[in-house]
Amino acid sequence: MKAIVTVMLKNGVLDPQGKAIGHALHNLGFPQVGEVRMGKIIELELAETDAAKAQTAAEDMARKLLANTVIESFKVEIAA
Amino acid sequence: MTQVNADLAKSFGLNAEEWGKVLEIMGRTPSLTELGIFSVMWSEHCSYKSSRVWLKELPTKAPWVIHGPGENAGVIDIGEGLAAIFKMESHNHPSFIEPYQGAATGVGGILRDVFTMGARPVANLNALRFGDPKLPVTKRVVDGVVRGIGGYGNCVGVPTVGGEVNFHPAYNGNPLVNAMTVGIAKQDKIFLSAAAGVGNPVVYVGSKTGRDGIHGATMASTEFDAASEDKRPTVQVGDPFTEKLLIEACLELMQTDAIVAIQDMGAAGLTSSSVEMAGKGGVGIELTLDDVPQRETGMTAYEMMLSESQERMLLVLKPERSEMARAIIEKWDLDYAVIGHITDTGRIVVKHKGVVEADIPLAPLSDAAPLYRRPIAETPKPAPLGAVDLSAPLDEALLKLIASPDLCSRRWIFDQYDSSVGGQTVKRPAQADAAIVKLEDTKRALAVTADCTPRYCVADAEQGGAQAVAEAWRNITATGALPLAVTDNMNFGNPEKPEIMGQFASAIKGMAAACKALDFPVVSGNVSLYNETEGRPILPTPAIGAVGVLEDAAQAVGYGLKPGLELVLVGQTKGELGRSLYLREILGREDGAPPVVDLAAERKNGDFVRTQILSGKVTASHDVSDGGVLVAVAEMLLAGEAGAELAAEGDAAFWFGEDQARYVLAVSDANALLTAAREAGIPAQRIGHATATEKLTLPNGIAISLPQLREAHEGFFPQWFA
Amino acid sequence: MKAAILLFPGINRERDMVLAVRQSFGAEPTVVWHKETELPAGTDLVILPGGFSFGDYLRCGAMAAQSPIMRAVKAHAERGGYVLGVCNGFQILTETGLLPGALLRNAGLRFLSMDTMLRVERNDTVFTNKWEKGAVFRAPMAHGDGNYTADEVTLDRLEGENLVAFRYADGNRNGSARDIAGIFAPNLRVLGLMPHPENLVDPLMGGTDGKPLFDALAAA
């Protein structure tokens, strides 16, 4: 099954890329854009049939490598 | 099943005559894969079919040339058993489509051309031409190209030490990205691409193969099914991390005796590398594509043979050394796959899933490659420059010139390039006319530069071609180094137009004369044609990259000025304003003839300047080129820690004329230098002195403060990208 | 002082570091491949040089921090061994947890390659004792991700415990919190900094401003 790990900078950590994207969108004529935050999505193909186990494994991977919990938070979703 | 016929061949870029030759060589209708192989090998890029007859005119030999054109890069003797290996190559079209990746993969490609010969890359340079800075697209392209060059070069850990940038509307839809790499090897450890040894394994090393960069027209004209979205040709994406691993893995492997032949997979990857390696070695080659490491599923033989996936190398190894080679490659986490072997058939045979997808005799593939002597029409000599309004105040003209896009500080650009990695960079950008890179564990250093003045070339390609070579030679000389050899990157429009081919032929003529007069042979190069947008060609741009050597790196001089020194102008000043930046930026004119290149004076003046520098009498030295003497002096002030007071008599033509073969030298004893010049029969005059003040005082008494000068010079790029 | 220089794939300033160490130490450092599990016997100082370990993919230093050799480095640090991380090496040390905080993308989102001035915040450490306290020296920087960040509590603790090693003295180009260019671990035996003292140890290359760091380590 597939695990989708979304990694975002924690609230309060400056996100210069998000800020730059926000600026660019304003310049393109999207005044309704407020704060922009940028993160990453990591798709993992897992040799696993048990969703709960997949969830646990992916969270472990996120904590150990995929996210730096000093500055980032993460969320794991399991897709069939 | 795709029908292979004359129409398909045409869409692959082969004309009717070339298609006829293919049928003749094959004696049957070729398969799709075979047609693909012919089309890339006979493309302008691989075959130089329009340019070869002219390139032969260039001098390529000298006692210090070890390998001239024909190898992956040129190789010269730089003393102490060492060789410099270098080349410049264009990545123009991809850099317009996707500036970041286009420029990045351009850097990656030229790096591979150099380390494939056994050299550790020690310096990168780039010659860039962009369109009108007023257009938003130009800003996008500049931003992407600069980021791409930095993104790739910084990551692989090769310092980017020099280059040049011009702007002109002729490059609006067609920027030029010419990247140059210089590497160092031991002379007895140089690797060539000629395959040998029947039965020897053909080994694939590096990244996996995907559908990157496969000829766009092909796909568009052959596939209309639902899968076509996924099969669309994609932009090549560079992976500098893998390149870094490839460099280290190849250099480690080259310390052993495992390699028979090696070549990078550049344009038309597996096709050109296998055909060239077998062709040069006079052997045959058989490939089994099932064993090619693949990044995507369902790839066909055609796709694998034409893929331009980056960061891949093809090797022929000694069989008894292949397991050791595998261990080295895999230590660096790179793919290693035996994908074929060398044969004695003189043919390239490509098998996939048990089917022979291609079987072509190699000799006719190269010998019968098209060669055109295309019609040429010479560009009429420009009308003489008429009267020029010289009334603009010197100070205002100077401030305007040094703030203009073509003359302003390039700091914003080179501040994004790592120029010190490697720990051998003696002179960084904006410190000397050429970058100086020391050779580790010796006292020696290389001087490297890239030069061309396209606005001269468009007016008179012969003078412009000579000027590009002369300026590169002068820039190396101005550091004290001895210029040794050049690489050329010929960027022109559509060669099927006689006037473009005329520009090409004239530029070659001028370059050849300059290379001969200056003992400055061409050892490698690249040709990029069809640089046009909607029928409008770029300015003819024969970019010259050059390498020189200093026996003692400590003797290198830069152009930064210190107080107390006297300023001497070496070389004759007539005040040539034709095609000058003064004319264009101050008066809005682009006319007249470019400055005359007097090669005898160039040689004589340069040899004199170099002797003076090496005798230790010169503290700073700067060649006089774009913008003339006053701009040269201003650049010396901004690079140093001094003001200056100028004393020479002269009008705007004197101060801003772009006469060639000139240098401004800073010395403590001007009289001694003037005496030496007089004895050598070289025109020289004292033009002022450096002061401890914060200002540049012009001969008319008007002073410009250094902060004002700096603000003008540094403003353009930061404001543009603010 | 016996030095080991770690080599992760993608590191590119290991040669620069070898030259700087060789010059000051008068001895050749050992270069250690990242897949090793032990440091050479008798290693006093571990150096993590600059570059782009694992391409800086995912996050700068994240994958190098998981390399086999880093277990040995952690054990070495716990025993009170000396560790110096420069640029990517600093990033690896924060990813490993040997130093607090993290290095984010430069505030201006551009790679920055230029000389910067660093102020020495304390000179009573094995790394900095050849400088005067408050001395300002030149060091080239070359990074895309040098924007030091940590939560306010950590930053206050770093300052309170006097663990800031160097601050940018001529303008904060990369956006680092409180102008921080380098920090110590609490035992003052682990130092991480972004700029490259190893690139200024030879007058021919523009100066010797960075040499006191290596001279100090050589004398320790």
Side-chain angles (χ1 to χ4, degrees):
Chain A
M1 48 192 13
K2 187 182 264 183
I4 301 166
V5 184
T6 307
V7 179
M8 297 295 293
L9 284 172
K10 281 180 178 170
N11 282 333
V13 176
L14 174 76
D15 176 4
Q17 295 183 87
K19 221 167 77 184
I21 293 166
H23 269 294
L25 289 172
H26 282 196
N27 291 341
L28 284 171
F30 296 102
Q32 66 273 47
V33 175
E35 199 196 353
V36 178
R37 308 280 294 166
M38 208 187 99
K40 30 187 176 260
I41 291 180
I42 301 156
E43 293 186 357
L44 306 165
E45 286 288 350
L46 299 179
E48 184 66 73
T49 49
D50 181 330
K53 279 187 187 162
Q55 177 86 24
T56 310
E59 283 176 5
D60 200 24
M61 294 175 208
R63 259 188 302 274
K64 283 204 174 116
L65 179 68
L66 305 180
N68 175 354
T69 52
V70 174
I71 45 170
E72 293 168 328
S73 59
F74 65 87
K75 180 177 82 188
V76 173
E77 284 169 276
I78 302 297
Chain B
M1 196 63 197
T2 308
Q3 197 66 41
V4 177
N5 55 30
D7 283 346
L8 185 66
K10 195 175 169 206
S11 76
F12 276 41
L14 295 174
N15 64 28
E17 188 193 339
E18 291 164 350
W19 168 243
K21 272 193 192 172
V22 172
L23 290 177
E24 194 182 311
I25 290 169
M26 297 303 293
R28 58 174 166 81
T29 302
S31 69
L32 179 65
T33 304
E34 288 167 340
L35 180 64
I37 292 172
F38 274 101
S39 74
V40 296
M41 292 313 298
W42 289 3
S43 69
E44 194 67 60
H45 189 95
C46 290
S47 74
Y48 293 87
K49 57 191 170 190
S50 301
S51 57
R52 250 189 309 162
V53 294
W54 297 106
L55 295 174
K56 277 191 279 189
E57 312 275 315
L58 294 168
T60 59
K61 292 194 170 64
W64 54 91
V65 174
I66 299 173
H67 291 291
E71 290 300 333
N72 283 303
V75 183
I76 58 169
D77 180 349
I78 52 171
E80 298 189 35
L82 297 172
I85 302 187
F86 63 99
K87 186 179 174 182
M88 195 193 290
E89 193 164 75
S90 63
H91 228 216
N92 302 337
H93 190 58
S95 299
F96 183 66
I97 305 294
E98 212 309 294
Y100 184 98
Q101 294 298 343
T105 52
V107 174
I110 194 63
L111 279 165
R112 285 191 295 284
D113 275 334
V114 166
F115 74 73
T116 195
M117 296 194 73
R120 175 171 288 279
V122 297
N124 277 339
L125 295 95
N126 47 79
L128 312 175
R129 321 281 162 189
F130 300 112
D132 184 348
K134 291 189 196 77
L135 298 180
V137 64
T138 304
K139 187 173 165 182
R140 178 185 73 91
V141 172
V142 170
D143 186 46
V145 165
V146 170
R147 282 180 193 276
I149 290 172
Y152 207 99
N154 298 343
C155 184
V156 294
V158 177
T160 301
V161 295
E164 56 167 357
V165 182
N166 288 151
F167 293 92
H168 194 281
Y171 303 105
N172 276 351
N174 200 317
L176 302 185
V177 174
N178 297 170
M180 172 174 169
T181 293
V182 185
I184 304 296
K186 290 195 173 132
Q187 286 175 22
D188 57 2
K189 276 279 183 190
I190 290 167
F191 292 81
L192 304 179
S193 56
V198 173
N200 279 348
V202 174
V203 173
Y204 172 117
V205 170
S207 287
K208 291 180 173 28
T209 296
R211 292 191 174 93
D212 317 52
I214 296 169
H215 198 258
T218 315
M219 281 301 152
S221 57
T222 55
E223 303 282 343
F224 292 100
D225 55 85
S228 60
E229 179 66 13
D230 276 346
K231 288 190 177 174
R232 225 176 20 184
T234 52
V235 173
Q236 306 155 40
V237 172
D239 178 357
F241 171 56
T242 297
E243 180 100 339
K244 170 69 174 164
L245 301 184
L246 258 187
I247 294 174
E248 299 303 333
C250 287
L251 292 179
E252 189 173 330
L253 186 55
M254 285 162 171
Q255 295 302 311
T256 73
D257 63 344
I259 300 174
V260 176
I262 178 167
Q263 167 131 346
D264 72 297
M265 294 192 224
L270 199 46
T271 292
S272 62
S273 52
S274 56
V275 167
E276 284 172 18
M277 289 175 84
K280 277 185 190 166
V283 295
I285 190 167
E286 184 173 315
L287 301 178
T288 305
L289 298 183
D290 308 72
D291 299 325
V292 169
Q294 293 159 51
R295 201 180 68 218
E296 300 179 55
T297 52
M299 289 189 71
T300 65
Y302 171 85
E303 289 169 334
M304 279 188 266
M305 290 305 289
L306 269 73
S307 164
E308 295 194 350
S309 290
Q310 301 287 298
E311 292 93 21
R312 303 178 301 161
M313 310 288 282
L314 199 63
L315 287 70
V316 177
L317 296 179
K318 295 179 184 165
E320 69 277 13
R321 290 280 182 271
S322 60
E323 279 315 301
M324 178 199 63
R326 177 191 293 275
I328 290 175
I329 298 302
E330 290 183 348
K331 170 190 153 188
W332 290 97
D333 293 330
L334 294 167
D335 270 311
Y336 173 105
V338 177
I339 63 164
H341 59 273
I342 299 302
T343 66
D344 60 1
T345 62
R347 304 177 76 85
I348 176 168
V349 176
V350 178
K351 293 180 177 170
H352 188 218
K353 295 182 175 166
V355 175
V356 174
E357 295 282 355
D359 182 354
I360 304 173
L362 288 164
L365 182 57
S366 61
D367 298 346
L371 181 62
Y372 298 123
R373 180 172 280 273
R374 296 191 187 277
I376 60 169
E378 280 196 34
T379 306
K381 294 287 176 197
L385 185 66
V388 177
D389 175 3
L390 299 176
S391 63
L394 281 186
D395 56 327
E396 286 173 25
L398 174 63
L399 286 170
K400 195 168 176 190
L401 272 173
I402 60 162
S404 68
D406 268 5
L407 270 180
C408 69
S409 165
R410 271 71 180 116
R411 186 173 309 283
W412 180 88
I413 295 175
F414 64 71
D415 274 358
Q416 298 182 56
Y417 300 156
D418 189 341
S419 56
S420 57
V421 60
Q424 303 298 323
T425 309
V426 178
K427 297 285 181 202
R428 290 192 250 169
Q431 293 185 341
D433 280 336
I436 306 291
V437 179
K438 197 169 135 329
L439 307 180
E440 206 179 308
D441 298 329
T442 77
K443 286 172 74 180
R444 282 173 186 258
L446 295 183
V448 292
T449 182
D451 295 285
C452 182
T453 313
R455 64 178 192 280
Y456 297 167
C457 297
V458 73
D460 183 336
E462 186 178 344
Q463 287 291 316
Q467 194 275 340
V469 172
E471 187 176 343
W473 189 85
R474 209 184 309 141
N475 277 329
I476 288 175
T477 293
T479 66
L482 181 67
L484 289 179
V486 310
T487 178
D488 59 3
N489 200 149
M490 309 293 289
N491 307 274
F492 288 77
N494 180 351
E496 293 158 44
K497 294 181 182 169
E499 65 274 22
I500 298 294
M501 220 47 233
Q503 290 175 342
F504 191 92
S506 296
I508 291 277
K509 197 173 165 195
M511 288 162 59
C515 289
K516 277 181 198 135
L518 301 172
D519 280 329
F520 209 25
V522 176
V523 296
S524 60
N526 170 244
V527 177
S528 171
L529 300 174
Y530 299 97
N531 289 291
E532 302 206 348
T533 310
E534 288 158 15
R536 280 174 289 111
I538 59 162
L539 302 186
T541 310
I544 299 295
V547 174
V549 72
L550 270 160
E551 286 181 16
D552 181 355
Q555 289 185 307
V557 296
Y559 57 71
L561 212 49
K562 290 196 179 81
L565 299 167
E566 303 209 64
L567 295 170
V568 174
L569 173 63
V570 175
Q572 192 180 20
T573 305
K574 291 182 192 159
E576 295 210 54
L577 284 173
R579 305 285 164 162
S580 67
L581 286 176
Y582 180 87
L583 208 60
R584 193 178 84 190
E585 299 297 326
I586 308 299
L587 302 172
R589 291 170 55 179
E590 292 184 60
D591 61 336
V596 171
V597 181
D598 176 344
L599 292 167
E602 197 70 68
R603 176 81 194 231
K604 197 170 160 189
N605 298 0
D607 287 346
F608 172 77
V609 165
R610 191 179 320 103
T611 306
Q612 294 299 314
I613 293 173
L614 294 180
S615 71
K617 291 173 194 143
V618 179
T619 308
S621 155
H622 196 8
D623 99 298
V624 179
S625 52
D626 291 352
V629 180
L630 197 51
V631 167
V633 170
E635 288 172 346
M636 294 175 82
L637 298 185
L638 293 172
E641 302 146 358
E645 208 167 290
L646 297 179
E649 292 296 319
D651 57 9
F654 174 84
W655 290 110
F656 297 114
E658 296 181 3
D659 308 55
Q660 299 292 296
R662 294 185 302 161
Y663 302 79
V664 176
L665 303 186
V667 294
S668 50
D669 185 349
N671 286 333
L673 180 65
L674 292 172
T675 305
R678 198 162 47 242
E679 282 166 5
I682 287 166
Q685 65 182 110
R686 190 175 169 280
I687 57 168
H689 65 278
T691 63
T693 61
E694 278 274 289
K695 61 188 180 186
L696 168 61
T697 307
L698 301 172
N700 58 11
I702 292 175
I704 306 171
S705 78
L706 289 192
Q708 194 185 357
L709 204 57
R710 196 174 301 280
E711 192 188 327
H713 192 51
E714 296 288 347
F716 172 73
F717 279 103
Q719 281 161 23
W720 197 23
F721 285 94
Chain C
M1 178 76 70
K2 198 174 161 194
I5 296 178
L6 304 191
L7 185 56
F8 303 90
I11 285 297
N12 62 28
R13 264 185 164 81
E14 77 282 4
R15 299 161 72 82
D16 314 39
M17 197 61 88
V18 166
L19 294 176
V21 169
R22 185 194 287 163
Q23 178 182 254
S24 287
F25 287 42
E28 199 66 18
T30 313
V31 175
V32 179
W33 183 237
H34 75 117
K35 283 180 184 166
E36 298 291 329
T37 53
E38 301 279 341
L39 291 165
T43 298
D44 303 299
L45 166 68
V46 175
I47 302 179
L48 292 86
F52 290 72
S53 57
F54 296 92
D56 274 0
Y57 300 149
L58 190 61
R59 280 184 321 280
C60 301
M63 287 184 270
Q66 306 296 329
S67 273
I69 193 65
M70 287 311 292
R71 262 175 224 264
V73 174
K74 273 189 218 168
H76 168 82
E78 278 158 18
R79 284 195 304 270
Y82 297 115
V83 182
L84 169 66
V86 176
C87 200
N88 201 209
F90 183 17
Q91 293 161 345
I92 297 168
L93 292 178
T94 62
E95 283 282 344
T96 315
L98 285 171
L99 291 172
L103 283 311
L104 293 176
R105 185 68 57 90
N106 292 342
L109 298 179
R110 288 190 189 276
F111 192 91
L112 295 171
S113 169
M114 69 265 297
D115 283 353
T116 182
M117 304 305 289
L118 298 185
R119 189 168 63 243
V120 179
E121 294 293 308
R122 63 186 291 177
N123 73 337
D124 57 344
T125 76
V126 74
F127 298 97
T128 56
N129 61 46
K130 296 279 181 193
W131 279 298
E132 297 293 320
K133 181 173 186 302
V136 171
F137 69 100
R138 195 156 57 91
M141 63 181 191
H143 60 245
D145 300 73
N147 180 351
Y148 183 75
T149 191
D151 58 51
E152 289 299 312
V153 175
T154 305
L155 291 171
D156 289 343
R157 180 177 64 78
L158 282 173
E159 302 208 272
E161 295 176 17
N162 202 6
L163 296 177
V164 175
F166 306 108
R167 281 185 222 263
Y168 297 107
D170 64 335
N172 180 343
R173 296 176 177 87
N174 58 22
S176 287
R178 305 188 191 182
D179 300 341
I180 290 173
I183 54 172
F184 293 112
N187 70 358
L188 301 175
R189 284 164 176 251
V190 180
L191 167 66
L193 77 162
M194 286 312 296
H196 295 280
E198 76 275 18
N199 279 124
L200 268 189
V201 295
D202 183 344
L204 196 53
M205 310 302 162
T208 55
D209 279 49
K211 197 162 173 287
L213 173 66
F214 299 96
D215 287 347
L217 286 166

